[in-house]
Amino acid sequence: LLSSLLLSGCGSIQRMALRSASPMFAEGSNKLTLERNWDFFRESAPGNLKFLEMIYLQDPENLPLLATLIKGYAGYAFAVPETLAYGDDLAGVEGSIHRSNAVELYTRAFDYG
């Protein structure tokens, strides 16, 4: 009984810590939109999104973190794969992999939503 209380207490403490850090993650993701170097954004945003995704999986009832994930995946899809797909469209490339990547990321955002 004592060990089960300790284990359940650790989980609730962990969730409480994650929920108290959620505003920090949301504010940090908003600051990511101010990045001026597109290449740096393109390379760094997926790692940040996966980090937020792993944290969200620890506390799936965390709505501020969920909103951050949805905005993050949709924003990244718009900023990176769609930009690259537009370049493919201008160059006349058929069947752009970037377009399918954008659809995949939008779908991930939609699935979280």
Side-chain angles (χ1 to χ4, degrees), residues 66-89:
L66 177 60
T68 302
L69 264 176
I70 294 167
K71 288 188 286 185
Y73 275 114
Y76 185 78
F78 179 74
V80 177
E82 276 208 37
T83 300
L84 295 170
Y86 182 65
D88 288 348
D89 289 346

Side-chain angles (χ1 to χ4, degrees), residues 1 4-5 8 18 21 23 33-34 38-39 42 47 49 62 65-66 74 78-79 88 97 102 104 107-108 111:
L1 180 63
S4 69
L5 283 174
S8 67
L18 289 174
T33 62
L34 302 175
W38 184 82
D39 287 319
R42 178 178 56 89
L49 287 169
N62 190 331
L65 193 55
L66 177 60
F78 179 74
D88 288 348
I97 185 70
E104 182 180 325
T107 302
R108 188 174 293 199
D111 288 346

Side-chain angles (χ1 to χ4, degrees), residues 22-99:
S22 291
M24 179 183 65
F25 295 136
E27 183 63 28
S29 70
N30 289 337
K31 298 293 183 200
L32 191 60
T33 62
L34 302 175
E35 177 59 50
R36 292 176 183 228
N37 185 329
W38 184 82
D39 287 319
F40 181 76
F41 173 79
R42 178 178 56 89
E43 293 172 4
S44 64
N48 290 328
L49 287 169
K50 287 308 285 182
F51 173 73
L52 290 174
E53 197 171 24
M54 293 302 113
I55 290 174
Y56 174 72
L57 292 175
Q58 298 299 312
D59 183 17
E61 296 171 7
N62 190 331
L63 295 181
L65 193 55
L66 177 60
T68 302
L69 264 176
I70 294 167
K71 288 188 286 185
Y73 275 114
Y76 185 78
F78 179 74
V80 177
E82 276 208 37
T83 300
L84 295 170
Y86 182 65
D88 288 348
D89 289 346
L90 292 176
V93 174
E94 294 292 324
S96 172
I97 185 70
H98 303 298
R99 181 141 336 271

